[in-house]
Amino acid sequence: MVGQRLGGRYQLEERVGGGGMAIVYKAKDLLLHRPVAVKVLRPQFGIDEDFINRFRREAQAVASLSHPNVVSVYDVGQDEDTHYIVMEYIEGQTLKDLINQHGALPIEEAIRIAVQVCDALEHAHQNKIIHRDIKPHNILIGNNGRVKVTDFGIARAATSATITHTNSVLGSVHYFSPEQARGGFTAEKSDIYSLGIVLYEMVTGQLPFSGDSPITVALKHLQDPLTDPREINPRIPQSVENIILKALVKDPFLRYGSALEMLTDLETCLSPERQNEQKIEFPVDEEQTRVYPRITEDMLGQAQSDREHYRKGPQTEEDENGKKRWWVRAIVWTAALGLFVILALFGFNLVQQLFEVPEIDVPHVVGTPVQIAEAKIKEAHLVPERQEQFSNTIEAGSVISQDPAPPMRLKENAKVLLVVSKGKKLEEMPNLMSQSRSLAEQQLKLKGFTVTENTFEEKEDETAPPGVVIEQVPAAGEKIVPSETTVKLTISKGKKFVELPDLKGLTEEEAKVRLFQLGLKVGEITQVPTYLTEESGIVVSTLPFTPNMKVEAGRDVPLQVSNGSYPSDAKIGMEPVLVEYDGDREKRVRILVTDARGDKQQVVNEQISSSMEYQVPIILSPEKRTATIEVYMGDEKVPVQTRTISYDDIP
Ligand code: ATP
Ligand code: MG
């Protein structure tokens, strides 16, 4: 695609990389004259409309983020079948490249990078955006050392269906949190876990959990204990190890409460006061107390052969006990194989449901008032936890969502998270000024505004480029409920152009009035000698503009005005012309002259009743070297007299 132009504006210059979903090009934005990175979605995703919509929505959300450690998204577009995101171009390399080249990084360097990533996460989380795919490939290190996180939220666009026809999940699964691997409720804390893995990798040079298949890795995140980073690299300070351990607890409730909390810890961990820190201790990691049978990759491999065995039917020589064990094992293996297939297709959603020992059915409480919901949960001998969130659809005080939800089963006294509505959120009206119409439109839709034809109005504008927002109502920063607010955006049509009329022959005053009426300005006025007229003050031309030209409104139009004399090399002659006539009725005589002033100028037009002699003035120039005089009588179409006079004949 190099050399192609997208959206008439982004000229692709060079391919810089490609991942599972997209190919990234360095490009030039021809409108704003700046380098940009254009992420072009791979064609197989272009046909999945749902995916495209999610992809655009997420990119739009990220466009509202503005932070020095977040790669800015400038535009999202479509050119025929090609879907793309335009973002800030970062000259540099990815953190993955850096780790591949150097192995473990110096501790200070690793912390410096983690601080900046964490700062980016904090900003995004404040704006209710979860990254969902934090990994070193998505952390760019500019040549100036600045760390920038990219691909915010884009992972959300990919569903299990899109993941299965790429292997992009292979790269990401190493950084997935246990709850993400299970396909459960992903929130801010999943990003914190992923950053914990990245930090682990930066200081030890290795991944804590790895394996041949996404499932092996996912299972390890779910059930394997972590090897302490200091066991691999004893030079890691205890304070840094503590941060990693606290980010990587399997139970999200025991992890850092927010990116801000982790950021504060990261910023102070290398200070002298924290040199003698003790190793962090956790209460029992609840996630590990949930009941999972231990699953191993071996079991999954053996499942196939056992399944075949089962198909052949029971072997007659087995004793009673043997048969029973075989029967039990066959069911376990068949389930394990089924699990393998389901996991491969649907991204691990069902691990927990399939492997937990069923004890208590989680009651369904979504949509019910929180007091009733909590009572139901308690009645089932479970412990409700509350988290509040704004909602435009669920009224204040009712449950928006729950985790876990039916058909999940839990052990007694396990926690159930209830997300409870705080009612409609008064939001700040986003600043849409100077944004392209499409970007503004999608941002509005994303925030829940209704966008119709009437939302937009076009207007000419002297300064703004065509297609961008020049006025918005309500103003940026006003507190509103998006679903109940009518927005008006005025879009620039760019500069106005007017068609210049022919001003030749008008007086200087008349010409000035015409220009004023058209919204043009009077430029420099020059007095020029001209063959066109002997009068002074008559417009001769408007060069460099010519009649019918489209001229930007407000431009200066110069006027060249006659100064009342012919040019100095003009030759002026008087030619006597005798018109003979002796009829009894009057007859019309017309004399036309073609010379330097123009073609067929009528110099005589009158009735005569007898012969007349006229003195006919002619003017010749070095360019127009011959003049023609034609005399017509009455209605004759053919001249009765024609005469040519040459430049050299005139003294
Ligand atoms: P995934 O598909 O899982 O996101 P990935 O992150 O490796 O995998 P892409 O996001 O498509 O793949 O990025 C591919 C490469 O393009 C990156 O590794 C990086 O080198 C380069 N790249 C991405 N964004 C930018 C950018 N804004 N500026 C400069 N280079 C970039
Ligand atoms: Mg990426």
Side-chain angles (χ1 to χ4, degrees):
M1 287 185 83
V2 169
Q4 224 168 294
R5 184 180 295 182
L6 291 180
R9 170 169 175 188
Y10 306 108
Q11 183 86 36
L12 304 185
E13 289 182 333
E14 183 191 329
R15 182 181 163 141
V16 290
M21 289 193 315
I23 299 171
V24 178
Y25 296 89
K26 178 178 184 181
K28 178 174 273 155
D29 177 349
L30 301 171
L31 191 64
L32 296 175
H33 304 289
R34 61 183 176 186
V36 291
V38 177
K39 187 161 194 173
V40 178
L41 209 57
R42 289 187 187 273
Q44 66 258 42
F45 296 109
I47 47 174
D48 181 344
E49 222 172 83
D50 259 13
F51 175 77
I52 294 299
N53 289 337
R54 280 195 303 277
F55 170 82
R56 293 182 76 104
R57 249 197 335 262
E58 287 299 321
Q60 292 309 332
V62 179
S64 65
L65 293 182
S66 159
H67 188 274
N69 300 115
V70 175
V71 173
S72 304
V73 169
Y74 296 143
D75 196 3
V76 184
Q78 173 179 6
D79 191 331
E80 293 181 357
D81 291 336
T82 310
H83 296 265
Y84 58 90
I85 306 185
V86 182
M87 54 190 171
E88 187 182 358
Y89 177 73
I90 310 298
E91 188 88 55
Q93 58 181 352
T94 68
L95 177 58
K96 193 77 199 171
D97 299 332
L98 195 70
I99 297 173
N100 284 345
Q101 285 159 22
H102 302 281
L105 306 180
I107 305 293
E108 292 75 24
E109 176 69 358
I111 297 297
R112 191 185 71 81
I113 293 172
V115 161
Q116 296 184 60
V117 175
C118 200
D119 206 354
L121 287 180
E122 164 61 15
H123 176 74
H125 292 175
Q126 286 291 334
N127 287 282
K128 296 274 178 293
I129 292 173
I130 296 165
H131 190 296
R132 291 190 175 79
D133 194 17
I134 285 288
K135 57 178 177 178
H137 319 65
N138 286 336
I139 298 171
L140 304 177
I141 318 255
N143 287 341
N144 57 4
R146 164 79 49 83
V147 175
K148 297 241 184 194
V149 182
T150 183
D151 285 352
F152 264 95
I154 289 177
R156 183 183 191 167
T159 58
S160 49
T162 49
I163 285 172
T164 47
H165 49 110
T166 73
N167 47 18
S168 67
V169 72
L170 258 175
S172 301
V173 77
H174 291 117
Y175 305 89
F176 275 4
S177 63
E179 65 273 20
Q180 219 169 347
R182 239 192 5 246
F185 188 84
T186 44
E188 287 81 351
K189 291 191 177 188
S190 308
D191 283 348
I192 291 177
Y193 183 93
S194 302
L195 175 56
I197 301 275
V198 173
L199 183 55
Y200 190 108
E201 191 182 2
M202 284 196 284
V203 294
T204 64
Q206 36 183 278
L207 286 160
F209 304 116
S210 51
D212 308 331
S213 71
I215 303 160
T216 325
V217 179
L219 289 177
K220 286 184 177 175
H221 282 289
L222 281 167
Q223 61 185 23
D224 276 18
L226 190 74
T227 307
D228 285 348
R230 275 159 61 85
E231 267 176 48
I232 302 167
N233 177 1
R235 279 174 313 166
I236 298 170
Q238 187 59 56
S239 57
V240 173
E241 181 178 87
N242 284 348
I243 293 180
I244 296 174
L245 296 179
K246 192 160 178 191
L248 294 183
V249 197
K250 296 194 195 298
D251 183 348
F253 287 107
L254 297 178
R255 258 176 245 155
Y256 284 106
S258 66
L260 185 61
E261 205 180 296
M262 180 169 180
L263 182 62
T264 321
D265 215 356
L266 280 167
E267 277 170 338
T268 58
C269 67
L270 297 181
S271 65
E273 309 86 82
R274 292 190 57 182
Q275 256 174 20
N276 302 316
E277 200 162 294
Q278 291 299 302
K279 184 170 172 186
I280 193 167
E281 295 281 347
F282 291 102
V284 189
D285 188 341
E286 285 224 2
E287 194 68 7
Q288 287 191 336
T289 64
R290 289 195 180 185
V291 191
Y292 298 105
R294 308 293 299 178
I295 318 163
T296 65
E297 189 67 357
D298 270 1
M299 287 164 73
L300 293 173
Q302 232 194 332
Q304 182 64 37
S305 57
D306 277 294
R307 203 168 105 113
E308 274 155 17
H309 176 93
Y310 175 66
R311 275 210 192 115
K312 281 186 219 142
Q315 309 273 305
T316 42
E317 62 272 12
E318 280 190 80
D319 65 15
E320 206 49 38
N321 272 343
K323 270 187 188 170
K324 192 178 170 202
R325 254 184 279 122
W326 165 84
W327 189 81
V328 171
R329 274 193 318 179
I331 288 198
V332 170
W333 297 150
T334 310
L337 183 72
L339 169 76
F340 181 89
V341 173
I342 288 162
L343 285 181
L345 288 174
F346 297 108
F348 329 113
N349 291 14
L350 300 174
V351 179
Q352 192 176 28
Q353 293 169 34
L354 285 177
F355 283 90
E356 245 179 296
V357 170
E359 295 201 336
I360 299 173
D361 282 318
V362 177
H364 173 87
V365 292
V366 170
T368 50
V370 66
Q371 286 79 4
I372 298 176
E374 285 182 344
K376 274 194 186 173
I377 304 270
K378 285 180 189 155
E379 210 173 287
H381 302 283
L382 297 169
V383 181
E385 289 234 335
R386 224 191 257 201
Q387 187 176 313
E388 296 206 312
Q389 211 174 74
F390 292 103
S391 167
N392 287 338
T393 45
I394 308 279
E395 63 183 279
S398 288
V399 176
I400 304 170
S401 64
Q402 65 178 97
D403 180 45
M408 274 283 292
R409 296 175 150 209
L410 291 175
K411 290 191 75 184
E412 201 173 308
N413 289 331
K415 287 173 186 165
V416 177
L417 177 68
L418 303 181
V419 181
V420 180
S421 171
K422 287 199 273 183
K424 285 183 183 161
K425 183 179 182 187
L426 275 185
E427 288 202 43
E428 271 193 15
M429 181 68 194
N431 183 4
L432 303 172
M433 301 292 282
S434 307
Q435 294 201 16
S436 71
R437 176 179 161 151
S438 63
L439 201 62
E441 177 169 348
Q442 304 212 18
Q443 246 182 277
L444 287 177
K445 285 185 178 160
L446 182 83
K447 291 216 184 274
F449 292 93
T450 321
V451 180
T452 65
E453 274 305 294
N454 299 333
T455 308
F456 302 98
E457 191 178 287
E458 294 201 319
K459 208 165 106 181
E460 279 135 358
D461 191 273
E462 286 305 300
T463 47
V468 307
V469 177
I470 46 175
E471 283 166 32
Q472 69 169 72
V473 178
E478 265 182 45
K479 300 276 187 212
I480 38 96
V481 176
S483 58
E484 293 164 6
T485 306
T486 312
V487 181
K488 280 265 173 218
L489 297 184
T490 312
I491 308 292
S492 165
K493 282 210 278 190
K495 284 190 176 151
K496 185 175 165 188
F497 281 82
V498 281
E499 190 173 321
L500 188 68
D502 192 355
L503 301 178
K504 224 177 294 161
L506 297 184
T507 66
E508 187 182 316
E509 267 334 288
E510 286 165 344
K512 284 179 176 170
V513 171
R514 286 290 282 136
L515 290 177
F516 175 79
Q517 287 168 339
L518 289 166
L520 294 165
K521 291 202 191 111
V522 181
E524 192 181 352
I525 299 178
T526 18
Q527 309 286 333
V528 292
T530 174
Y531 289 104
L532 300 180
T533 174
E534 239 181 320
E535 263 180 75
S536 67
I538 303 296
V539 175
V540 185
S541 84
T542 50
L543 290 173
F545 301 118
T546 52
N548 305 325
M549 213 185 207
K550 300 266 188 215
V551 183
E552 269 172 29
R555 277 291 286 267
D556 285 351
V557 177
L559 295 176
Q560 287 94 46
V561 175
S562 66
N563 68 356
S565 60
Y566 294 119
S568 59
D569 53 8
K571 279 193 177 178
I572 303 168
M574 274 300 178
E575 195 63 19
V577 174
L578 178 63
V579 180
E580 286 176 288
Y581 183 62
D582 61 354
D584 13 285
R585 283 201 288 135
E586 286 200 329
K587 195 149 199 178
R588 180 156 298 275
V589 56
R590 290 185 304 128
I591 302 181
L592 304 185
V593 177
T594 297
D595 66 1
R597 290 168 295 176
D599 289 349
K600 295 190 191 280
Q601 310 154 74
Q602 184 163 286
V603 290
V604 172
N605 180 6
E606 61 181 13
Q607 307 275 28
I608 54 169
S609 47
S610 60
S611 297
M612 287 285 288
E613 187 176 80
Y614 297 98
Q615 292 298 324
V616 176
I618 54 168
I619 294 144
L620 285 172
S621 72
E623 287 77 41
K624 177 70 182 169
R625 298 182 73 90
T626 50
T628 313
I629 299 174
E630 295 165 304
V631 181
Y632 293 85
M633 298 289 284
D635 298 328
E636 305 267 355
K637 295 282 179 271
V638 184
V640 296
Q641 227 187 92
T642 305
R643 193 183 308 173
T644 42
I645 303 101
S646 116
Y647 187 77
D648 302 319
D649 295 343
I650 304 174

